[in-house]
Amino acid sequence: MAEIIRKHAAAGAIRTDVRESHQNALARGGLFKSLAEQRLGPVIAVIDTIEADLAAAEAVAGPAMAALEAENVKADRLLGKVSDDVWNAVGRPANDPYYSLLFPGGYGRYADGHVNEQPARMALLVELLRRGVHPLLSADVAEPCAQAVETAASALREKVEAAGVLSAKLEMLGRMRDAVARAAQMELSALKRIYKAHGLSEAEIHSVIPAHARAGGKKNGATPKAKGLAEKATGEA
């Protein structure tokens, strides 16, 4: 006996079957159409709404991620410039413990790592520059550097937050789309039961609802295990 798509099938496959069933029922008309509209119409409307929201969010997310990447590149370049400016201002030392406090291992300590955390790392550099950590770094150099890093960190933070909101929205909408697909499978199952209750045959029902083979069912009247046992018994005889 054929079955409808299983509830654990891929969400996309479930949505496809539900849409196809609805379209087939509308084409058949009569009882097929009226019952399908009752059971599948509302859930398809929800699916359409979520997919439209996803498409809209994805259209905005692309430019937002591109803007974040561009801002991150600008921030990294600024950090490199600030580290050079500070190094030049303190005499271009070959080995300077005070400079190492400001840039431990180079400006990469601020630029590398996850971009979401970079504004906080840059804020720490601003604090160190304004604290006067290096005895040879004058305030005339330190303060403009601190201001430039602070401005860049603020701009980067803005892009990080905008991209983060969109990323969270996309994830949530994706989860909602999957959840409604499971609900749609249940509605499809209910529709088949209702069709049967109205006296429709399996063939009639699956002329509307796509048919799927029963999972783990018998093939040619015997399971593989039973077939193997029968062959063994024949050989022993």
Side-chain angles (χ1 to χ4, degrees):
M1 181 184 296
E3 294 183 342
I4 69 167
I5 191 166
R6 298 187 300 278
K7 63 181 179 180
H8 296 302
I14 293 174
R15 291 192 297 272
T16 297
D17 271 24
V18 170
R19 291 187 186 280
E20 185 177 339
S21 299
H22 188 246
Q23 292 169 359
N24 290 341
L26 295 183
R28 290 290 297 270
L31 187 65
F32 286 101
K33 176 182 177 181
S34 61
L35 294 176
E37 286 181 329
Q38 292 174 24
R39 302 302 309 194
L40 303 183
V43 75
I44 288 176
V46 175
I47 290 173
D48 288 344
T49 298
I50 293 174
E51 290 188 341
D53 289 346
L54 262 170
E58 287 170 348
V60 177
M65 293 304 297
L68 172 58
E69 176 62 24
E71 198 65 45
N72 187 33
V73 171
K74 286 173 58 178
D76 290 353
R77 287 174 178 169
L78 175 69
L79 287 167
K81 180 180 182 302
V82 167
S83 69
D84 286 344
D85 289 347
V86 171
W87 185 58
N88 288 329
V90 298
R92 304 168 64 89
N95 185 16
D96 186 339
Y98 296 107
Y99 181 83
S100 296
L101 289 176
L102 289 169
F103 298 97
Y107 76 91
R109 290 293 183 179
Y110 301 103
D112 297 342
H114 202 292
V115 67
N116 290 1
E117 300 169 355
Q118 184 164 325
R121 295 194 296 270
M122 294 170 71
L124 175 60
L125 176 59
V126 171
E127 181 182 342
L128 292 174
L129 287 169
R130 286 177 172 160
R131 189 182 295 175
V133 170
H134 201 298
L136 299 180
L137 183 63
S138 69
D140 291 343
V141 174
E143 183 54 29
C145 287
Q147 289 179 4
V149 174
E150 190 171 46
T151 299
S154 178
L156 183 60
R157 184 179 295 107
E158 182 179 327
K159 297 297 190 296
V160 165
E161 290 175 354
V165 168
L166 288 169
S167 179
K169 185 175 183 178
L170 286 172
E171 181 182 0
M172 184 57 66
L173 285 170
R175 290 179 181 273
M176 291 170 62
R177 183 175 60 177
D178 290 345
V180 77
R182 309 305 171 196
Q185 190 276 344
M186 294 173 65
E187 291 298 323
L188 196 60
S189 179
L191 179 61
K192 179 174 180 177
R193 290 196 301 270
I194 294 171
Y195 279 158
K196 292 178 70 173
H198 280 79
L200 298 174
S201 68
E202 283 282 323
E204 289 174 315
I205 292 171
H206 286 293
S207 69
V208 170
I209 302 175
H212 295 264
R214 176 175 293 182
K218 293 181 179 181
K219 184 177 181 180
N220 297 327
T223 64
K225 181 178 180 180
K227 184 178 179 181
L229 290 173
E231 291 175 348
K232 181 179 180 181
T234 302
E236 290 176 350

